[in-house]
Amino acid sequence: MKVLWAKTPCTANEVIDALEVRTDWKPKTVRTLLNRLAQKQAISYSQENRVYAYFPLVSEDECVKSETQSFLKRIYGGAFKPLLVNFLKEEQLSAEDIKELKNILDDKTK
């Protein structure tokens, strides 16, 4: 999806080339993934002769939001507070990170 969000539309070969540097996936695996994403209506394609040009049907923001909600439901029973508490206990935060988090929380209370 990140390849398609970065450059749209892309042929299957362009997606394969972009993923080649990041993964060890075979071209057939990438084509299978593209077909499954199309079946799930996450992407679509246009066909010109025998060349398929793929493009996303969902934005990156929509996908991130959906995956975040899915993760919260699966791991934390839908509760955000335990996730945040665990994150804050485990992560090293800079003063700038803490300030930004405080500002976000302050905005939520308004």
Side-chain angles (χ1 to χ4, degrees):
M1 289 300 297
K2 288 183 180 186
V3 171
L4 294 177
W5 287 322
K7 178 184 178 274
T8 295
C10 279
T11 65
N13 285 337
E14 289 172 326
V15 174
I16 290 165
D17 290 345
L19 291 176
E20 191 173 55
V21 295
R22 294 186 238 174
T23 68
D24 60 353
W25 291 0
K26 303 286 185 224
K28 187 173 181 176
T29 302
V30 176
R31 291 180 194 280
T32 299
L33 176 62
L34 289 170
N35 287 333
R36 288 184 179 166
L37 289 170
Q39 288 172 356
K40 292 181 178 187
Q41 298 181 338
I43 65 173
S44 190
Y45 58 88
S46 59
Q47 182 180 1
E48 195 169 311
N49 296 323
R50 295 184 62 189
V51 177
Y52 291 81
Y54 295 90
F55 54 90
L57 294 176
V58 294
S59 71
E60 188 170 7
D61 288 342
E62 290 172 313
C63 189
V64 168
K65 184 177 180 181
S66 176
E67 286 301 311
T68 300
Q69 290 171 346
S70 174
F71 175 79
L72 275 175
K73 285 179 187 172
R74 281 192 331 269
I75 307 300
Y76 292 97
F80 177 71
K81 184 179 176 183
L83 168 76
L84 184 59
V85 168
N86 187 51
F87 173 78
L88 292 172
K89 284 181 180 178
E90 298 298 322
E91 291 298 315
Q92 294 290 351
L93 300 173
S94 68
E96 185 177 316
D97 290 337
I98 293 169
K99 182 179 178 183
E100 185 176 349
L101 288 170
K102 283 181 180 179
N103 287 338
I104 292 168
L105 290 172
D106 287 342
D107 288 345
K108 284 288 203 184
T109 59
K110 293 178 183 178

